[in-house]
Amino acid sequence: MRNLTPFLTRIPIKGDFEKAREEVWAFPLVAVITSLLPTLILYFKLPRGNLLGVLALYFTIGLLHLDGLADWADGIMVKGDREGKIKAMKDVNTGIAGIFAVVVVLLVQVYSLEGAPFYSMYLGELNSKYAMLLALATKKPLGRGLGAYFMEGMNRKNMVIGTALYVLLMIPVLALYPKAIVSLLGLAIGAYTIHISLKNFGGLNGDCIGAVAEITRAGTLLIIGTF
């Protein structure tokens, strides 16, 4: 986990990037770290806690996944064949679809946290990180970038450990707050995002995995805020 944390967060600790892919099982554990500040803000009911919580999240994780979401949306919205979609996703310039997707995801998260339970961001991040693990488990890399790099470290053992951690980290919240069970629907949103990515691009790269992370979290928060 020590090597994976610097890649998934802005926390200034040293890690060996070459060993990070060996720790993909720890994705759910990283969610505990990334959700800590937002959870404290929501727990103490600070003024404008919904906005501060989202800002605290991105202060912790950075904007890498949001950037991936923007590129992913540009590719998804392009009409034409698979090659054209991939080209649009890899274009260094962000199109209107990418900007729209980022704005919507940010607004959904801020809106959903208004009056939401303090544990909402914890569950959102837990689902987000586990959905990333599911994306890696497809073992369908697109190109030779970060997505392919982490998929190479994915195996049955890492998936089993990661799933066990996800369940163990979910159980305390569900035991104390049974209605939080609706958050599991957020994983369905993540799974559908993976499906859409494979259908449009034929594989997953870092941008797709970043989009999966962002959409899963936003979807989870929306579900919790609604129910």
Side-chain angles (χ1 to χ4, degrees):
M1 182 175 172
R2 180 177 63 85
N3 298 303
L4 185 65
T5 300
F7 175 74
L8 293 178
T9 74
R10 297 178 63 250
I11 297 175
I13 60 176
K14 293 183 179 180
D16 187 342
F17 183 71
E18 293 299 321
K19 296 180 180 179
R21 64 181 175 184
E22 300 173 8
E23 301 178 352
V24 292
W25 55 267
F27 270 62
L29 276 179
V30 175
V32 178
I33 299 173
T34 56
S35 65
L36 180 58
L37 277 179
T39 299
L40 289 174
I41 289 171
L42 293 173
Y43 180 79
F44 288 107
K45 299 181 179 180
L46 298 183
R48 304 295 181 187
N50 56 330
L51 176 59
L52 290 176
V54 172
L55 290 176
L57 171 70
Y58 289 108
F59 174 79
T60 304
I61 68 175
L63 304 178
L64 181 62
H65 296 332
L66 273 181
D67 182 63
L69 170 67
D71 292 337
W72 177 87
D74 282 339
I76 290 292
M77 295 303 293
V78 166
K79 293 183 179 180
D81 57 16
R82 182 170 291 172
E83 289 71 23
K85 288 177 175 291
I86 294 174
K87 182 179 179 180
M89 179 168 62
K90 292 184 176 181
D91 193 325
V92 295
N93 298 308
T94 302
I96 187 62
I99 295 173
F100 179 79
V102 169
V103 170
V104 168
V105 162
L106 290 175
L107 288 178
V108 165
Q109 292 180 100
V110 172
Y111 170 78
S112 299
L113 286 177
E114 180 68 36
F118 75 92
Y119 53 78
S120 298
M121 189 62 84
Y122 170 76
L123 294 180
E125 268 294 273
L126 193 56
N127 275 354
S128 175
K129 296 300 185 286
Y130 186 65
M132 293 174 71
L133 200 62
L134 294 177
L136 295 178
T138 63
K139 303 288 283 186
K140 293 184 178 181
L142 180 63
R144 296 300 304 168
L146 287 175
Y149 172 79
F150 279 100
M151 283 184 190
E152 289 174 0
M154 191 63 187
N155 54 43
R156 181 173 295 182
K157 178 181 177 181
N158 284 333
M159 190 65 208
V160 170
I161 296 175
T163 300
L165 285 173
Y166 172 77
V167 173
L168 288 174
L169 292 170
M170 182 71 74
I171 286 176
V173 179
L174 296 182
L176 293 172
Y177 310 98
K179 69 176 184 179
I181 190 71
V182 297
S183 66
L184 295 177
L185 294 175
L187 282 181
I189 295 175
Y192 184 70
T193 305
I194 294 172
H195 169 73
I196 291 296
S197 300
L198 293 173
K199 180 179 179 180
N200 280 269
F201 307 121
L204 302 174
N205 63 3
D207 290 333
C208 297
I209 296 172
V212 168
E214 291 293 327
I215 294 173
T216 300
R217 185 194 316 109
T220 300
L221 294 179
L222 181 61
I223 289 170
I224 295 175
T226 301
F227 293 96

Short mmCIF file of all heavy atoms in Angstrom, two decimals, residues 75-98:
data_model
loop_
_atom_site.label_atom_id
_atom_site.label_comp_id
_atom_site.label_asym_id
_atom_site.label_seq_id
_atom_site.Cartn_x
_atom_site.Cartn_y
_atom_site.Cartn_z
N GLY A 75 -14.18 11.01 -26.08
CA GLY A 75 -14.17 9.84 -26.94
C GLY A 75 -15.53 9.20 -27.07
O GLY A 75 -15.94 8.80 -28.17
N ILE A 76 -16.27 9.12 -25.98
CA ILE A 76 -17.60 8.50 -25.99
C ILE A 76 -18.56 9.26 -26.90
O ILE A 76 -19.36 8.66 -27.63
CB ILE A 76 -18.18 8.44 -24.56
CG1 ILE A 76 -17.41 7.42 -23.70
CG2 ILE A 76 -19.68 8.10 -24.59
CD1 ILE A 76 -17.61 5.99 -24.11
N MET A 77 -18.49 10.56 -26.87
CA MET A 77 -19.47 11.38 -27.58
C MET A 77 -19.18 11.57 -29.07
O MET A 77 -20.01 12.09 -29.81
CB MET A 77 -19.58 12.75 -26.90
CG MET A 77 -20.13 12.71 -25.49
SD MET A 77 -21.76 11.91 -25.40
CE MET A 77 -22.76 13.11 -26.31
N VAL A 78 -17.99 11.18 -29.51
CA VAL A 78 -17.66 11.30 -30.92
C VAL A 78 -18.42 10.25 -31.73
O VAL A 78 -18.42 9.07 -31.38
CB VAL A 78 -16.14 11.14 -31.15
CG1 VAL A 78 -15.83 10.93 -32.62
CG2 VAL A 78 -15.41 12.38 -30.65
N LYS A 79 -19.03 10.68 -32.82
CA LYS A 79 -19.71 9.74 -33.70
C LYS A 79 -18.68 9.10 -34.65
O LYS A 79 -17.72 9.74 -35.04
CB LYS A 79 -20.78 10.46 -34.51
CG LYS A 79 -21.95 10.98 -33.68
CD LYS A 79 -23.00 11.63 -34.57
CE LYS A 79 -24.18 12.13 -33.75
NZ LYS A 79 -25.22 12.77 -34.61
N GLY A 80 -18.92 7.86 -34.98
CA GLY A 80 -18.01 7.21 -35.91
C GLY A 80 -17.52 5.88 -35.39
O GLY A 80 -18.07 5.30 -34.44
N ASP A 81 -16.44 5.40 -35.97
CA ASP A 81 -15.92 4.08 -35.62
C ASP A 81 -15.05 4.15 -34.37
O ASP A 81 -14.80 5.21 -33.80
CB ASP A 81 -15.14 3.48 -36.78
CG ASP A 81 -13.98 4.37 -37.23
OD1 ASP A 81 -13.59 5.28 -36.47
OD2 ASP A 81 -13.47 4.15 -38.34
N ARG A 82 -14.60 2.97 -33.96
CA ARG A 82 -13.82 2.85 -32.73
C ARG A 82 -12.50 3.62 -32.81
O ARG A 82 -12.09 4.25 -31.83
CB ARG A 82 -13.55 1.37 -32.45
CG ARG A 82 -12.78 1.08 -31.18
CD ARG A 82 -12.79 -0.40 -30.88
NE ARG A 82 -14.12 -0.85 -30.48
CZ ARG A 82 -14.45 -2.13 -30.30
NH1 ARG A 82 -13.55 -3.07 -30.53
NH2 ARG A 82 -15.67 -2.46 -29.92
N GLU A 83 -11.86 3.59 -33.96
CA GLU A 83 -10.59 4.28 -34.11
C GLU A 83 -10.75 5.79 -33.90
O GLU A 83 -9.90 6.44 -33.29
CB GLU A 83 -9.99 3.99 -35.49
CG GLU A 83 -9.47 2.58 -35.68
CD GLU A 83 -10.56 1.54 -35.76
OE1 GLU A 83 -11.71 1.91 -36.10
OE2 GLU A 83 -10.28 0.36 -35.44
N GLY A 84 -11.85 6.33 -34.43
CA GLY A 84 -12.11 7.75 -34.26
C GLY A 84 -12.36 8.12 -32.82
O GLY A 84 -11.93 9.18 -32.35
N LYS A 85 -13.05 7.25 -32.10
CA LYS A 85 -13.34 7.50 -30.69
C LYS A 85 -12.05 7.47 -29.86
O LYS A 85 -11.85 8.31 -28.97
CB LYS A 85 -14.33 6.46 -30.16
CG LYS A 85 -15.75 6.65 -30.69
CD LYS A 85 -16.66 5.55 -30.18
CE LYS A 85 -18.10 5.79 -30.61
NZ LYS A 85 -18.70 6.95 -29.93
N ILE A 86 -11.20 6.52 -30.15
CA ILE A 86 -9.93 6.42 -29.43
C ILE A 86 -9.07 7.64 -29.72
O ILE A 86 -8.43 8.19 -28.81
CB ILE A 86 -9.19 5.12 -29.81
CG1 ILE A 86 -9.99 3.91 -29.34
CG2 ILE A 86 -7.79 5.11 -29.22
CD1 ILE A 86 -9.41 2.58 -29.80
N LYS A 87 -9.06 8.07 -30.97
CA LYS A 87 -8.28 9.25 -31.33
C LYS A 87 -8.77 10.48 -30.59
O LYS A 87 -7.97 11.29 -30.10
CB LYS A 87 -8.37 9.48 -32.85
CG LYS A 87 -7.55 10.67 -33.33
CD LYS A 87 -7.66 10.82 -34.84
CE LYS A 87 -6.85 12.03 -35.30
NZ LYS A 87 -6.95 12.19 -36.80
N ALA A 88 -10.09 10.63 -30.48
CA ALA A 88 -10.66 11.78 -29.77
C ALA A 88 -10.31 11.71 -28.28
O ALA A 88 -10.03 12.74 -27.65
CB ALA A 88 -12.17 11.81 -29.96
N MET A 89 -10.32 10.51 -27.71
CA MET A 89 -10.01 10.36 -26.29
C MET A 89 -8.55 10.72 -26.01
O MET A 89 -8.23 11.30 -24.97
CB MET A 89 -10.30 8.93 -25.84
CG MET A 89 -9.98 8.67 -24.37
SD MET A 89 -10.62 7.11 -23.74
CE MET A 89 -9.73 5.93 -24.77
N LYS A 90 -7.68 10.41 -26.95
CA LYS A 90 -6.26 10.65 -26.75
C LYS A 90 -5.83 12.06 -27.16
O LYS A 90 -4.68 12.44 -26.94
CB LYS A 90 -5.44 9.62 -27.52
CG LYS A 90 -5.58 8.20 -26.97
CD LYS A 90 -4.68 7.22 -27.70
CE LYS A 90 -4.76 5.83 -27.09
NZ LYS A 90 -3.87 4.87 -27.78
N ASP A 91 -6.74 12.83 -27.75
CA ASP A 91 -6.44 14.20 -28.14
C ASP A 91 -6.09 15.02 -26.90
O ASP A 91 -6.81 14.97 -25.89
CB ASP A 91 -7.64 14.82 -28.85
CG ASP A 91 -7.30 16.12 -29.56
OD1 ASP A 91 -6.45 16.88 -29.04
OD2 ASP A 91 -7.88 16.39 -30.62
N VAL A 92 -5.01 15.77 -26.95
CA VAL A 92 -4.57 16.54 -25.79
C VAL A 92 -5.51 17.70 -25.49
O VAL A 92 -5.51 18.24 -24.37
CB VAL A 92 -3.14 17.08 -25.99
CG1 VAL A 92 -2.15 15.95 -26.07
CG2 VAL A 92 -3.05 17.95 -27.24
N ASN A 93 -6.30 18.11 -26.45
CA ASN A 93 -7.25 19.20 -26.24
C ASN A 93 -8.57 18.66 -25.71
O ASN A 93 -9.10 17.67 -26.22
CB ASN A 93 -7.50 19.95 -27.56
CG ASN A 93 -6.25 20.60 -28.11
OD1 ASN A 93 -5.57 21.33 -27.40
ND2 ASN A 93 -5.93 20.30 -29.37
N THR A 94 -9.10 19.30 -24.68
CA THR A 94 -10.36 18.88 -24.09
C THR A 94 -11.52 19.51 -24.82
O THR A 94 -11.56 20.73 -25.00
CB THR A 94 -10.43 19.27 -22.60
OG1 THR A 94 -9.34 18.67 -21.90
CG2 THR A 94 -11.74 18.80 -21.98
N GLY A 95 -12.48 18.68 -25.26
CA GLY A 95 -13.64 19.17 -25.98
C GLY A 95 -14.78 19.52 -25.06
O GLY A 95 -14.70 19.37 -23.83
N ILE A 96 -15.87 19.98 -25.65
CA ILE A 96 -17.03 20.40 -24.87
C ILE A 96 -17.65 19.24 -24.10
O ILE A 96 -18.15 19.42 -22.98
CB ILE A 96 -18.09 21.06 -25.78
CG1 ILE A 96 -19.23 21.65 -24.96
CG2 ILE A 96 -18.62 20.05 -26.80
CD1 ILE A 96 -18.80 22.76 -24.03
N ALA A 97 -17.59 18.03 -24.66
CA ALA A 97 -18.13 16.86 -23.97
C ALA A 97 -17.36 16.60 -22.68
O ALA A 97 -17.95 16.28 -21.64
CB ALA A 97 -18.09 15.63 -24.87
N GLY A 98 -16.05 16.74 -22.75
CA GLY A 98 -15.22 16.53 -21.57
C GLY A 98 -15.50 17.57 -20.49
O GLY A 98 -15.61 17.24 -19.30
#
